[in-house]
Amino acid sequence: MSVTIKDVARYCEVSTATVSRVINNDPRISEKTKEKVMKGIKELNYRINGVARSLKTNRTRTIGFICPEIPNDFFMSIAKGVEDELKKYGYSVIICNSNENTEEEKERIKLLCEKCVDGIIIIPATDEGRHFKYLKDANMPVVLVDRLVEDFQSDAVLVDNINGSYCAVEYLINKGYNRIGFIGGDVKLTSAKERFEGYTRALNDYCIPLEKDIIKFGDFHIKGGFDLMKEMMQQDNPPPLVFISNYFMHVGAVKYLIENKYKLDKEVLIASFDDMELSSIFGFSVLRVRQPMMEIGSKAAQLLLSRIDGDKTAYPRIVRLKTELITEW
Amino acid sequence: MSVTIKDVARYCEVSTATVSRVINNDPRISEKTKEKVMKGIKELNYRINGVARSLKTNRTRTIGFICPEIPNDFFMSIAKGVEDELKKYGYSVIICNSNENTEEEKERIKLLCEKCVDGIIIIPATDEGRHFKYLKDANMPVVLVDRLVEDFQSDAVLVDNINGSYCAVEYLINKGYNRIGFIGGDVKLTSAKERFEGYTRALNDYCIPLEKDIIKFGDFHIKGGFDLMKEMMQQDNPPPLVFISNYFMHVGAVKYLIENKYKLDKEVLIASFDDMELSSIFGFSVLRVRQPMMEIGSKAAQLLLSRIDGDKTAYPRIVRLKTELITEW
């Protein structure tokens, strides 16, 4: 009972080839014919089969976004930036979760390639990039965001992590702090490594020796922040101020302080990478390094669209966005 | 240069029909042949074209998840519940954003139907469900989550909102409060309406008159919570305790209190629907109604899978999950 392309052609009094050209946005079709056919398609309620269509055209006007975690406002704000930019060009986004796992990331890449998206934006799960080869083989335009991976050259949008944490730590030093604790992510991630580098460079430049006891590494999660803050505060001589290298560790650290009845803005202060909507209402926080999440997303979308449109500029094109210091002092 | 199904057939010394049957999981193929062909596919690095394949088989083992907002931990935690459950059955999830907009929701539904997912889980953007007809026409299995829509019968996973807020308000009354402010969402959404109903029922059952001045409605967003808390506190005789009907309004309300230097746990207390990871670290909060987000997601996945597997039970099947009271008193 379903309406076919022949029914549409008969109804509009054109050939099936014409209907097909309209569906595939062929420029040889006049606006008038296009209108007539679109009207017929609508009136007959003809459903264009996207799968059949994408076998014939090369564009699906859909792009994939793969990130390591979905209940994560940082990643999802970037996804929103991607989506808002793509919408201007009539593109849609589908989001997949790699669960911080290389195997799942590989599966998601395959899934999206099979679903024939026009390009993929990836926030890598780890620094491991061997399975990204699949993208090259499939000739799939790709942009990395937030982190790089080994052995894979690609366009990427990153943040100037080193300078972001350098400026924050420098600001704290100028405020008179010379014992600044550090809570960082897994240095296998380029972003975690760079933020630590900014911290050490600032201390070096101001001739402040690194104190091993107040430098701690975990992962970028709430629990990591909680556990490391606990270690930090339970030692004999805890620092009066701790620099925490992402939002989720910041949340975990605050959680520890609140559960252990630390008093707001007195016993310990927090500076941190990331400035999310909730950061300012936690208490303890005096300084934050804001990443331009929406802009990261829109830049990534722009890079991807240019590749989809055939831009052959040599790889990699790297965009480094600046951070901004937010202070409540 | 790309490897075709013929190359695989020649390499494995079988017919192309056999290769095709292996790819499509045809039960007529022996395990031995299957193994041989899969080995050939791997060794030749033959890429199965998902688009071409999904024209032939009926399953893509992918389901779609459409929700009204993506940087939203509540929706994304449900998505995670969906994904964890589906993963057990070898299914993947792709997530799309409807942006709380009926038109975009319709576009996303079409997109997913075109991408040939096996089923769709939707957290509706509004109460408007006319465009859901598309799903019925496409014979697409669908499960609604969190909210219902008008004029569309479907399986659904909801939370017992009425009882959740009834129990919370009852608890507060028993603690001696008889002036309990209310900040609610748009009552066009079933969830917002039901939470208000629980509030009024509890007050009625305990013979406490409704005070119009301390009952406010907005949307379920941070800004709504901020603005309504401001209105609430700026009136002559603000209530000592406010019941807020979702997480984001709770965040907005706390933001208002902190920016205006309200003292923690003294001048005003907050009870609220939802208990997210951060709820307990905001201060002001004394009681929360926890929704089982992961379970909502896994139930929705189960209902959907059963429909995909051909379950013909009469529509609608509604699952109402219970909430849990979390108190810090």
Side-chain angles (χ1 to χ4, degrees):
Chain A
M1 283 291 290
S2 73
V3 178
T4 69
I5 195 164
K6 280 185 194 161
D7 299 325
V8 177
R10 208 172 305 131
Y11 183 84
C12 300
E13 299 177 322
V14 298
S15 68
T16 53
T18 300
V19 178
S20 164
R21 284 193 187 124
V22 170
I23 290 170
N24 294 317
N25 262 325
D26 189 314
R28 287 170 293 179
I29 297 294
S30 73
E31 269 308 308
K32 210 181 131 206
T33 310
K34 190 175 165 183
E35 252 175 45
K36 185 166 74 176
V37 172
M38 288 311 284
K39 201 163 155 264
I41 284 175
K42 212 171 158 190
E43 284 172 12
L44 292 182
N45 200 18
Y46 171 63
R47 283 180 214 303
I48 299 161
N49 182 334
V51 171
R53 182 178 52 170
S54 53
L55 277 176
K56 294 195 186 163
T57 65
N58 289 321
R59 295 289 178 81
T60 61
R61 295 196 105 71
T62 306
I63 81 108
F65 180 90
I66 303 175
C67 64
E69 197 177 28
I70 45 175
N72 180 313
D73 271 353
F74 178 70
F75 296 148
M76 288 301 125
S77 297
I78 294 175
K80 184 84 178 80
V82 168
E83 189 176 50
D84 287 354
E85 182 68 18
L86 288 176
K87 206 184 283 179
K88 298 178 196 163
Y89 304 92
Y91 272 76
S92 306
V93 181
I94 52 189
I95 298 169
C96 290
N97 181 11
S98 66
N99 237 322
E100 291 197 308
N101 178 305
T102 308
E103 265 314 303
E104 291 191 39
E105 187 172 63
K106 189 170 155 188
E107 289 308 315
R108 297 301 161 267
I109 287 173
K110 283 188 183 173
L111 174 75
L112 290 178
C113 287
E114 287 192 0
K115 294 274 162 195
C116 285
V117 294
D118 293 342
I120 305 184
I121 293 173
I122 306 181
I123 303 181
T126 66
D127 63 331
E128 163 67 53
R130 244 179 307 165
H131 55 294
F132 282 51
K133 203 180 147 292
Y134 196 92
L135 292 160
K136 279 268 186 283
D137 295 349
N139 211 8
M140 178 66 72
V142 59
V143 175
L144 300 187
V145 168
D146 190 47
R147 312 161 177 177
L148 293 175
V149 296
E150 283 172 8
D151 308 322
F152 182 71
Q153 287 248 320
S154 158
D155 292 345
V157 179
L158 306 169
V159 148
D160 188 349
N161 289 300
I162 295 178
N163 191 51
S165 56
Y166 184 98
C167 290
V169 174
E170 182 177 45
Y171 187 99
L172 299 170
I173 294 170
N174 287 331
K175 277 280 178 187
Y177 290 90
N178 55 17
R179 290 193 73 232
I180 301 168
F182 181 86
I183 289 182
D186 184 344
V187 289
K188 274 192 177 172
L189 292 177
T190 48
S191 53
K193 187 162 67 188
E194 289 167 356
R195 290 173 201 173
F196 181 56
E197 197 172 327
Y199 166 84
T200 55
R201 277 199 201 169
L203 294 185
N204 284 337
D205 286 358
Y206 285 83
C207 302
I208 298 172
L210 292 185
E211 282 182 64
K212 248 175 68 184
D213 291 345
I214 61 171
I215 295 174
K216 318 249 173 217
F217 297 99
D219 57 31
F220 268 155
H221 294 290
I222 293 180
K223 189 170 180 311
F226 185 97
D227 293 345
L228 297 178
M229 195 63 171
K230 183 175 176 184
E231 271 185 33
M232 188 76 81
M233 300 312 288
Q234 282 184 346
Q235 60 194 355
D236 284 344
N237 184 18
L241 195 152
V242 180
F243 181 73
I244 301 177
S245 40
N246 90 338
Y247 174 64
F248 297 98
M249 297 189 108
H250 175 190
V251 169
V254 170
K255 221 172 158 160
Y256 172 76
L257 295 176
I258 288 188
E259 282 181 16
N260 291 277
K261 315 275 178 217
Y262 279 80
K263 289 189 201 73
L264 287 176
D265 300 346
K266 295 255 170 77
E267 291 168 89
V268 62
L269 300 178
I270 290 178
S272 65
F273 219 91
D274 292 327
D275 178 56
M276 308 294 287
E277 180 132 33
L278 304 186
S279 302
S280 62
I281 68 178
F282 292 152
F284 302 104
S285 173
V286 289
L287 182 69
R288 295 181 296 276
V289 181
R290 178 179 290 167
Q291 298 196 63
M293 294 174 288
M294 293 296 282
E295 199 189 344
I296 293 172
S298 63
K299 276 281 171 225
Q302 285 162 14
L303 288 180
L304 192 67
L305 285 174
S306 78
R307 291 295 185 195
I308 291 171
D309 284 342
D311 186 334
K312 301 276 185 239
T313 316
Y315 287 90
R317 293 180 299 174
I318 305 280
V319 176
R320 282 258 175 205
L321 296 174
K322 291 290 166 207
T323 56
E324 184 190 350
L325 276 190
I326 309 293
T327 169
E328 302 193 359
W329 250 312
Chain B
M1 282 292 288
S2 73
V3 178
T4 69
I5 195 166
K6 280 185 195 160
D7 299 325
V8 178
R10 208 173 305 130
Y11 184 85
C12 299
E13 300 176 321
V14 297
S15 68
T16 54
T18 299
V19 177
S20 163
R21 285 193 187 124
V22 170
I23 290 170
N24 294 316
N25 263 325
D26 189 313
R28 286 170 294 181
I29 298 293
S30 74
E31 270 308 308
K32 211 180 131 205
T33 309
K34 190 175 165 182
E35 251 174 46
K36 186 166 74 176
V37 172
M38 289 310 286
K39 201 162 156 264
I41 285 175
K42 213 172 158 187
E43 283 171 13
L44 292 182
N45 200 18
Y46 171 63
R47 282 182 216 301
I48 298 161
N49 182 332
V51 172
R53 182 178 50 170
S54 52
L55 278 176
K56 295 194 186 163
T57 65
N58 289 320
R59 295 287 177 83
T60 61
R61 296 196 103 72
T62 306
I63 79 110
F65 180 90
I66 303 175
C67 63
E69 197 178 28
I70 46 176
N72 178 314
D73 271 354
F74 178 70
F75 296 148
M76 288 302 127
S77 297
I78 294 175
K80 183 85 178 80
V82 168
E83 189 176 50
D84 287 355
E85 181 68 18
L86 287 175
K87 205 183 283 176
K88 298 178 196 163
Y89 303 92
Y91 271 77
S92 305
V93 182
I94 53 190
I95 297 169
C96 289
N97 181 10
S98 67
N99 238 322
E100 290 197 309
N101 177 307
T102 308
E103 265 315 303
E104 290 191 41
E105 188 173 63
K106 188 170 154 187
E107 289 308 315
R108 298 301 161 268
I109 287 173
K110 283 188 183 173
L111 174 75
L112 291 179
C113 286
E114 287 192 1
K115 294 273 163 197
C116 286
V117 295
D118 293 342
I120 304 183
I121 292 172
I122 305 181
I123 302 180
T126 66
D127 62 333
E128 163 65 55
R130 245 178 307 165
H131 54 294
F132 282 52
K133 202 181 147 292
Y134 196 92
L135 292 159
K136 280 270 186 283
D137 295 348
N139 211 7
M140 178 66 72
V142 58
V143 174
L144 299 187
V145 168
D146 191 44
R147 311 161 177 177
L148 293 175
V149 295
E150 282 170 9
D151 307 322
F152 183 70
Q153 286 248 320
S154 157
D155 292 345
V157 180
L158 306 169
V159 148
D160 188 349
N161 289 300
I162 296 179
N163 192 51
S165 55
Y166 184 98
C167 291
V169 175
E170 181 177 45
Y171 186 99
L172 300 170
I173 294 170
N174 287 331
K175 276 280 180 188
Y177 290 90
N178 54 17
R179 289 193 73 231
I180 301 168
F182 181 86
I183 289 181
D186 184 344
V187 287
K188 274 191 177 170
L189 291 177
T190 48
S191 53
K193 187 162 65 185
E194 289 168 354
R195 289 172 202 175
F196 180 56
E197 196 173 327
Y199 167 83
T200 54
R201 276 199 202 169
L203 293 184
N204 284 337
D205 286 358
Y206 285 83
C207 302
I208 298 172
L210 292 185
E211 280 183 67
K212 248 174 72 185
D213 291 348
I214 61 171
I215 295 176
K216 319 246 174 219
F217 297 98
D219 57 28
F220 269 155
H221 295 290
I222 292 180
K223 188 168 180 312
F226 185 97
D227 294 345
L228 296 179
M229 195 62 170
K230 185 175 174 185
E231 271 184 34
M232 187 76 81
M233 301 312 288
Q234 283 184 347
Q235 60 194 354
D236 284 344
N237 184 17
L241 196 151
V242 181
F243 181 74
I244 300 176
S245 40
N246 89 337
Y247 175 65
F248 297 97
M249 296 191 108
H250 175 190
V251 168
V254 169
K255 222 171 157 162
Y256 172 77
L257 296 176
I258 288 187
E259 283 181 16
N260 290 278
K261 315 277 180 217
Y262 279 81
K263 290 188 200 73
L264 286 176
D265 299 346
K266 294 254 171 77
E267 290 169 89
V268 61
L269 300 179
I270 289 178
S272 65
F273 219 91
D274 291 327
D275 178 57
M276 308 294 287
E277 181 132 32
L278 304 184
S279 302
S280 62
I281 70 179
F282 291 152
F284 303 103
S285 173
V286 287
L287 182 69
R288 295 182 296 277
V289 182
R290 177 179 291 167
Q291 298 196 62
M293 296 174 286
M294 293 296 283
E295 198 189 344
I296 293 172
S298 63
K299 276 282 172 223
Q302 285 163 12
L303 287 180
L304 191 68
L305 286 174
S306 77
R307 292 295 186 194
I308 291 171
D309 283 343
D311 186 332
K312 300 277 185 238
T313 316
Y315 286 90
R317 292 180 299 174
I318 306 280
V319 175
R320 282 260 174 204
L321 296 173
K322 290 291 167 207
T323 57
E324 184 189 351
L325 277 191
I326 308 293
T327 171
E328 300 192 359
W329 251 313

